[in-house]
Amino acid sequence: MVKLAETEKLSNPKKTIEVIQKYGFNFQKRFGQNFLIDGHVLDRIIAGAGVCEDDLVLEIGPGIGTMTQYLAEAAGRVIAVEVDKNLLPILEETLAPYDNVKVIHADVLSLDLSRLVEEENGGRPIKVVANLPYYITTPIIMALFEQHVPLENVTVMVQKEVAARMKAGPGSKDYGALSLAVQYYAEPYIVANVPCNCFMPRPNVDSAVIRLTRFKEPPVRVSDERLMFQIIRASFNQRRKTLMNGLRGSQELHIDKARAEAAIAEAGLPAAVRGEALTLAQFAALTDLLAEV
Ligand code: SAM
């Protein structure tokens, strides 16, 4: 297996600058192009994701190939999906030493990832690693989970506040619909905090790497998953509202006062409880009660 010296890798800022200048590359804000330039952070991502030589890793957004070099040296195979065609010639050069990397030019949102896993890995679970524009990270994570793409874990760089929201539990100010959506599918673990000076160019915000290890079975059973997430969204729509007012105010749900009151009481919850106090198990129980009628 090829191993480049640390000084030869793109995590060395000099190498990144060299490549950017050679190709006259212009960073595109709309694609969230901030490239990592810190080898320690990259080592921690690879270790945090638990990448080993048996793995097929899907990297979303390789950029100039900085993380891809680390992945290629640790994994069996890497498939890297990059949307910006201007990066393709660069990737060809920076990944030339590796024979276990395949670059796909595509918008990841347009790919059928379950099919990709079937074709490339015989349907066996893969690992996903990504450092993406923040505005598409959450939709991608949710799509991977909801579409049941076979995967072991997803390790992503997100805004520090988003990592806190994904990991938060009831009662915390960060707890919300995103916490519950993520924790229904996966166990979150913060791998590293990443200050903005680890990127070129520097973003305005600090980041964190979070690993989401997919559950084999969801931690709670619920009769209607879709209804549960509608209830969760309604409960957090306006944070200061009680659960009851959240349920009644939802455009999606059409629940009247008597029904909401009865279900809340039957679930053993105080009438004035707020959504932010409920655990995932309590949302599941409430969903089953509301689904009965
Ligand atoms: N992984 C590299 C690193 O850590 O240095 C680059 C990360 S950069 C924050 C995000 C990368 O994702 C960019 O190369 C960008 O062009 C790519 N990207 C943005 N949107 C994408 C999409 N929808 N599908 C695939 N790649 C995308």
Side-chain angles (χ1 to χ4, degrees):
M1 193 178 272
V2 182
K3 296 252 184 226
L4 288 185
E6 289 298 302
T7 47
E8 288 306 305
K9 287 187 180 155
L10 293 158
S11 50
N12 173 0
K14 277 194 200 140
K15 281 281 155 195
T16 285
I17 293 170
E18 213 174 279
V19 166
I20 298 289
Q21 286 179 345
K22 176 172 172 190
Y23 287 86
F25 179 74
N26 291 314
F27 292 91
Q28 302 248 19
K29 234 189 166 140
R30 72 188 162 119
F31 290 141
Q33 288 172 341
N34 303 92
F35 301 148
L36 270 166
I37 45 163
D38 186 306
H40 297 297
V41 171
L42 286 152
D43 284 334
R44 287 178 71 185
I45 295 175
I46 304 299
V51 175
C52 63
E53 55 192 25
D54 294 335
D55 288 328
L56 171 63
V57 177
L58 169 66
E59 185 190 6
I60 310 175
I64 57 174
T66 315
M67 185 146 66
T68 329
Q69 293 184 329
Y70 282 72
L71 289 168
E73 293 186 7
R77 270 191 318 136
V78 182
I79 295 181
V81 178
E82 174 54 60
V83 71
D84 183 356
K85 70 170 181 346
N86 294 329
L87 287 166
L88 301 180
I90 301 184
L91 286 166
E92 211 161 293
E93 176 180 329
T94 59
L95 301 177
Y98 306 102
D99 62 3
N100 58 345
V101 181
K102 173 168 164 181
V103 175
I104 297 178
H105 175 218
D107 177 343
V108 70
L109 293 168
S110 71
L111 290 181
D112 179 343
L113 292 175
S114 293
R115 206 170 103 197
L116 186 82
V117 177
E118 189 55 52
E119 286 169 3
E120 298 284 350
N121 212 32
R124 286 184 306 281
I126 59 162
K127 287 179 177 151
V128 178
V129 178
N131 171 15
L132 280 169
Y134 293 133
Y135 58 88
I136 60 166
T137 307
T138 307
I140 288 176
I141 292 173
M142 293 323 298
L144 286 166
F145 288 152
E146 283 165 8
Q147 291 163 19
H148 299 279
V149 175
L151 58 89
E152 249 173 75
N153 60 34
V154 184
T155 305
V156 282
M157 180 85 71
V158 289
Q159 220 165 304
K160 211 169 157 193
E161 293 72 22
V162 176
R165 280 165 49 205
M166 288 180 174
K167 219 185 130 36
S172 137
K173 70 170 175 28
D174 296 318
Y175 187 56
L178 180 63
S179 326
L180 286 152
V182 163
Q183 291 167 31
Y184 180 69
Y185 291 106
E187 160 107 48
Y189 170 76
I190 305 230
V191 170
N193 286 313
V194 187
C196 54
N197 61 7
C198 296
F199 298 91
M200 186 184 296
R202 281 186 193 196
N204 299 326
V205 290
D206 287 335
S207 305
V209 177
I210 190 163
R211 178 188 69 213
L212 307 172
T213 306
R214 198 180 200 324
F215 292 129
K216 291 208 164 53
E217 296 291 333
V220 297
R221 280 187 180 276
V222 63
S223 52
D224 185 341
E225 239 175 58
R226 200 167 147 258
L227 177 64
M228 180 171 77
F229 285 112
Q230 287 176 341
I231 291 173
I232 288 172
R233 276 196 297 277
S235 310
F236 287 96
N237 235 347
Q238 283 169 292
R239 283 197 86 86
R240 308 225 61 76
K241 271 193 182 173
T242 59
L243 173 62
M244 171 123 85
N245 286 339
L247 294 179
R248 282 177 55 209
S250 160
Q251 305 289 328
E252 276 182 319
L253 285 171
H254 312 291
I255 296 175
D256 63 32
K257 187 169 178 230
R259 210 171 132 215
E261 260 172 8
I264 289 170
E266 211 173 318
L269 298 166
V273 72
R274 292 207 175 137
E276 65 210 38
L278 268 63
T279 62
L280 180 59
Q282 287 171 316
F283 274 113
L286 185 69
T287 304
D288 287 347
L289 288 166
L290 286 165
E292 272 171 17
V293 190

